[in-house]
């Protein structure tokens, strides 16, 4: 078959997969062919801006939402214009004059006052907006939810730390990048001997071949559990529009092809059930863009990029139909699939035009002049009515419908003080691509440690095979991760950050009650354990018990000025080969610690210079 994977003809998503955040396909593999569809052969990496969600210094300062306002706001009754000619201070009474003169003066005073009031109003508004914009920059545009049920769920979600995102859809059949080959943007590679139209025809036709007779969601859930994962996000519909749930809005769905007569044809239901049974929080991935829908990509026009391909201003009725379709599909998910904790909405370019900012522009994708406003308030209110407290993650559209932020394939440089999650692939791809090299378990464990110390959660991506099973290599890798988490998990799950969250390869977390501080030291892959480890920051008080938690033994330690050194017993250094990270719990003698709400470490130093 023409498009069957042949390694060099298919596009695989790389370390920076395309989409909401970045536009880069996999490095190296994409050598374009002359005459191919890629209009920009030498330039497969569209420019990325430096500002992407959750990155850098987007920290919220607790309790200081509008810090600059007070500084700039003029005090009433005490405002002098720059020249000092006109001043409006409380004691500034005009001198008595003749009547006419008085009237004229009154009039001109009134005008001056009016002028001043308007000017003051104008400047106040500017200062206010400026302060607001500043705050938005500082907190990454994050808006804290007001609904108590949402707050509680968010807190509960923040305890889980490690989740699985499953990409499974039509693209799994040939084993190519998820949906993106359908899109005609210049960075996308395809077999150049086939026309775009033929390609699309072939892709839509894959529905005839998708018959996952070995569909085994219990195996997926078990693998996730074994990995130590605690929440799930499953692709109910990706950008290609193929539904992995039994929607009534379209026939383009798994429950309509060769799999229709299978008792588990309503795939999403069985995936959710299997994970729910193992105590996972349940998330539904749903793509706002739908490239199969005639109300999104209208075949009357070409489809040059990811956006709606007709002018919504000219055809509002068509866009309204798409909005209704989207609303109905999400409503089905919210009403017919049991309890759902997270509605994870992908395709951040489908958003109101006024929310398009530098961050969105930095993705390098085309931005049409019309608004692709899907009406989130309407969707969210329906979702919350059906699923009280559900977390809504309208990715990259920072604001009230993004209960946590989702940096993709990367970890923010610093700790962020609002809820966030890094989504990352176990291989190079979100979906199943045969032969896709997997990251080592140490690499994933190292990422998890860093993410958690910086206040986030890790959502790890796997892609089941077209027959419905998870590849044994993926299962194996997940097991290895779980082995580490089973003994070290107390420093990960249910923890909160400490003010000092990292020193080199040492990362810190603390228990929610602030009584125990954890130092997790990442050990480089393929290296032996050293006989001692040293770090700066979060130095323990005298009398603190430091335990190596994988062996449950107290270790000797000494404090030298601003550093601490812990000594590993020979029994440990000898027995632990290729150990990804050592975790120490630090419990102060008096066991008091600090309250987490102080957002400081439980083991901030007091003057203790002695060695133990
Ligand atoms: C990006 C990709 C999309 C993928 C998602 C997963 O948005 O474009 O294909 O599903 O990342 O996080």
């Amino acid at each position: 078959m023409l498009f069957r994977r042949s390694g060099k003809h298919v596009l695989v998503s790389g370390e920076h997969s395309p989409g909401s955040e970045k536009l880069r396909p996999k490095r190296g593999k994409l050598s374009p062919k002359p005459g191919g569809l890629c209009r920009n052969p030498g330039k497969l990496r569209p420019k990325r801006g430096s500002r992407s969600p959750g990155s850098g210094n987007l920290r919220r300062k607790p309790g200081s939402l509008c810090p600059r306002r007070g500084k700039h706001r003029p005090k009433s009754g005490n405002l002098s214009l720059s020249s000092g000619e006109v001043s409006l201070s409380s004691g500034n009474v005009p001198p008595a004059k003749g009547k006419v003169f008085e009237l004229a003066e009154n009039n001109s005073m009134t005008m001056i006052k009016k002028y001043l009031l308007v000017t003051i109003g104008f400047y106040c508004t500017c200062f206010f907006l400026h302060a607001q914009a500043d705050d938005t920059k500082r907190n990454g545009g994050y808006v804290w939810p007001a609904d108590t049920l949402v707050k509680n769920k968010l807190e509960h979600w923040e305890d889980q730390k490690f989740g699985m995102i499953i990409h499974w859809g039509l693209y799994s059949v040939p084993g190519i990048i998820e949906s993106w080959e359908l899109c005609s943007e210049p960075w996308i590679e395809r077999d150049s001997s086939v026309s775009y139209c033929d390609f699309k025809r072939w892709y839509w036709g894959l529905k005839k071949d998708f018959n996952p007779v070995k569909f085994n969601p219990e195996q997926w859930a078990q693998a996730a559990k074994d990995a130590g994962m605690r929440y799930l996000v499953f692709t109910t519909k990706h950008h290609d529009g193929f539904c992995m749930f039994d929607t009534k809005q379209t026939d383009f769905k798994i429950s309509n092809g060769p799999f229709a007569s299978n008792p588990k044809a309503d795939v999403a239901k069985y995936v959710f059930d299997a994970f729910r049974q193992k105590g996972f929080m349940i998330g539904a991935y749903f793509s706002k863009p739908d490239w199969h829908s005639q109300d999104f990509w209208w075949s009357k026009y070409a489809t040059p990029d990811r956006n709606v391909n007709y002018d919504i201003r000219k055809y509002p009725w068509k866009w309204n139909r798409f909005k209704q379709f989207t609303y109905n599909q999400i409503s089905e998910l919210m009403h017919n699939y049991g309890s759902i904790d997270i509605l994870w909405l992908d395709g951040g370019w489908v958003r109101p035009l006024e929310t398009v900012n530098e961050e969105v522009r930095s993705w390098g994708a085309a931005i049409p002049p019309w608004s692709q406003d899907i009406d989130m308030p309407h969707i969210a209110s329906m979702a919350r009515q059906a699923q009280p407290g559900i977390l809504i993650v309208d990715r990259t559209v920072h604001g009230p419908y993004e209960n946590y932020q989702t940096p993709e394939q990367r970890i923010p440089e610093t700790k962020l003080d609002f809820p966030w999650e890094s989504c990352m692939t176990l291989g190079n791809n979100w979906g199943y691509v045969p032969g896709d090299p997997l990251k080592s378990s140490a690499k994933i464990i190292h990422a998890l440690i860093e993410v958690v110390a910086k206040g986030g959660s890790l959502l790890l991506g796997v892609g089941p095979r077209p027959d419905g099973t998870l590849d044994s290599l993926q299962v194996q890798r997940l097991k290895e991760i779980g082995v580490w988490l089973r003994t070290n998990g107390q420093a990960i799950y249910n923890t909160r950050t400490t003010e000092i969250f990292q020193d080199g390869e040492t990362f810190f977390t603390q228990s929610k009650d602030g009584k125990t501080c954890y130092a997790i030291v990442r050990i480089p892959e393929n290296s032996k354990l050293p006989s001692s480890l040293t770090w700066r920051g979060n130095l323990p008080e005298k009398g603190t018990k430091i335990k190596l938690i994988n062996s449950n033994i107290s270790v000797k330690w000494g404090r030298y000025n601003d550093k601490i050194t812990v000594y590993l017993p020979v029994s440990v250094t000898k027995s632990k080969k290729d150990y990804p990270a050592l975790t120490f719990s630090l419990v102060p003698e008096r066991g008091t610690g600090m309250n987490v709400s102080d957002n400081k470490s439980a083991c901030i130093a007091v003057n203790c210079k002695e060695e133990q």
Side-chain angles (χ1 to χ4, degrees), residues 428-481:
N428 280 328
N429 290 272
W430 292 107
Y432 173 69
V433 173
D436 195 16
L438 302 182
K439 297 183 179 86
S440 66
S441 48
K443 198 161 184 176
I444 301 297
I445 292 164
H446 287 179
L448 177 64
I449 293 166
E450 182 169 347
V451 163
V452 171
K454 290 179 175 175
S457 296
L458 180 67
L459 184 64
L460 188 67
V462 300
R465 288 189 297 216
D467 69 358
T469 59
L470 258 189
D471 189 275
S472 60
L473 284 177
Q474 298 198 20
V475 173
Q476 175 56 28
R477 208 46 60 87
L478 294 171
K479 260 201 185 116
E480 289 162 21
I481 298 167

Side-chain angles (χ1 to χ4, degrees), residues 560-608:
Y560 310 95
N561 299 320
D562 62 342
K563 288 186 190 155
I564 165 182
T565 297
V566 295
Y567 302 95
L568 299 176
V570 184
S571 57
V572 170
T573 51
K574 279 218 170 120
S575 64
K576 302 266 177 235
K577 295 252 177 330
D578 279 339
Y579 204 71
L582 291 172
T583 306
F584 301 92
S585 65
L586 289 74
V587 183
E589 192 178 32
R590 279 167 282 129
T592 46
M594 290 181 69
N595 199 315
V596 227
S597 58
D598 287 349
N599 209 9
K600 295 219 171 84
S601 160
C603 44
I604 289 286
V606 290
N607 292 325
C608 163

Side-chain angles (χ1 to χ4, degrees), residues 323-586:
K323 286 204 296 199
Q324 190 61 51
F325 166 78
T326 305
Y327 178 95
N328 292 349
Q329 285 203 320
I330 296 179
S331 173
E332 288 172 342
L333 287 169
M334 296 297 100
H335 288 93
N336 308 336
Y337 290 83
S339 161
I340 312 268
D341 301 290
I342 307 163
L343 176 59
W344 211 88
L345 297 173
D346 200 17
W349 61 92
V350 173
R351 65 197 293 149
L353 190 58
E354 64 273 17
T355 67
V356 173
N357 52 18
E358 260 322 294
E359 182 184 325
V360 178
R361 279 187 276 276
S362 77
W363 304 338
I367 295 167
W370 48 85
S371 186
Q372 304 178 80
D373 186 347
I374 200 77
D375 197 354
M376 274 311 296
H378 191 41
I379 291 174
S381 99
M382 171 272 291
R384 293 237 158 94
Q385 221 156 40
Q387 304 280 345
I390 191 172
L391 303 180
I392 298 180
V393 183
D394 189 13
R395 299 188 68 202
T396 76
V397 190
H398 309 321
Y401 308 111
E402 192 184 35
N403 294 141
Y404 63 75
Q405 294 193 1
T406 57
E408 188 173 307
Q409 298 284 32
R410 67 184 179 86
I411 303 175
E413 272 160 36
T414 188
K415 172 163 91 83
L416 302 175
D417 292 333
F418 52 80
W420 64 274
E421 158 198 276
S422 268
C423 50
M424 244 174 231
T425 46
L426 177 57
N428 280 328
N429 290 272
W430 292 107
Y432 173 69
V433 173
D436 195 16
L438 302 182
K439 297 183 179 86
S440 66
S441 48
K443 198 161 184 176
I444 301 297
I445 292 164
H446 287 179
L448 177 64
I449 293 166
E450 182 169 347
V451 163
V452 171
K454 290 179 175 175
S457 296
L458 180 67
L459 184 64
L460 188 67
V462 300
R465 288 189 297 216
D467 69 358
T469 59
L470 258 189
D471 189 275
S472 60
L473 284 177
Q474 298 198 20
V475 173
Q476 175 56 28
R477 208 46 60 87
L478 294 171
K479 260 201 185 116
E480 289 162 21
I481 298 167
V483 168
W484 184 84
L485 266 168
R486 252 193 304 285
T487 35
N488 296 273
Q490 61 170 287
I492 299 287
Y493 306 118
N494 307 307
T495 58
R496 293 296 178 261
T497 58
T498 68
E499 196 61 28
I500 301 167
F501 60 91
Q502 177 182 8
D503 175 48
E505 286 302 307
T506 305
F507 290 83
F508 304 97
T509 61
Q510 65 178 322
S511 58
K512 275 210 272 186
D513 62 7
K515 292 192 171 149
T516 308
C517 177
Y518 297 99
I520 316 170
V521 188
R522 299 195 302 199
I523 310 293
E525 275 185 74
N526 306 317
S527 60
K528 285 194 190 141
L529 286 183
S531 53
S532 67
L533 293 158
T534 297
W535 65 81
R536 269 199 189 87
N538 288 328
L539 302 177
E541 307 169 348
K542 185 180 178 190
T544 295
K545 274 221 156 25
I546 302 191
K547 262 192 180 174
L548 178 62
I549 66 176
N550 69 13
S551 330
N552 202 22
I553 48 169
S554 294
V555 292
K556 291 200 165 151
W557 62 274
R559 186 171 155 182
Y560 310 95
N561 299 320
D562 62 342
K563 288 186 190 155
I564 165 182
T565 297
V566 295
Y567 302 95
L568 299 176
V570 184
S571 57
V572 170
T573 51
K574 279 218 170 120
S575 64
K576 302 266 177 235
K577 295 252 177 330
D578 279 339
Y579 204 71
L582 291 172
T583 306
F584 301 92
S585 65
L586 289 74

Side-chain angles (χ1 to χ4, degrees), residues 13 16-22 165 167 171 177-180 187 235 237-239 285 287 291 306 344-349 395-396 406-409 421-425 430-431 459:
S13 65
H16 301 282
S17 88
S20 40
E21 258 207 77
K22 294 192 181 104
I165 180 166
H167 278 69
Y171 43 84
I177 185 177
E178 71 295 344
S179 304
W180 280 98
W187 59 271
T235 47
K237 176 178 90 168
H238 204 261
H239 311 332
Y285 169 113
S287 166
W291 295 333
R306 63 187 67 189
W344 211 88
L345 297 173
D346 200 17
W349 61 92
R395 299 188 68 202
T396 76
T406 57
E408 188 173 307
Q409 298 284 32
E421 158 198 276
S422 268
C423 50
M424 244 174 231
T425 46
W430 292 107
L459 184 64

Side-chain angles (χ1 to χ4, degrees), residues 216-238:
N216 189 351
E218 286 76 24
Q219 182 218 14
W220 309 355
Q222 189 57 52
K225 180 124 194 137
D226 290 346
M229 292 162 161
R230 296 193 168 181
Y231 70 102
L232 162 83
V233 176
F234 175 66
T235 47
T236 59
K237 176 178 90 168
H238 204 261

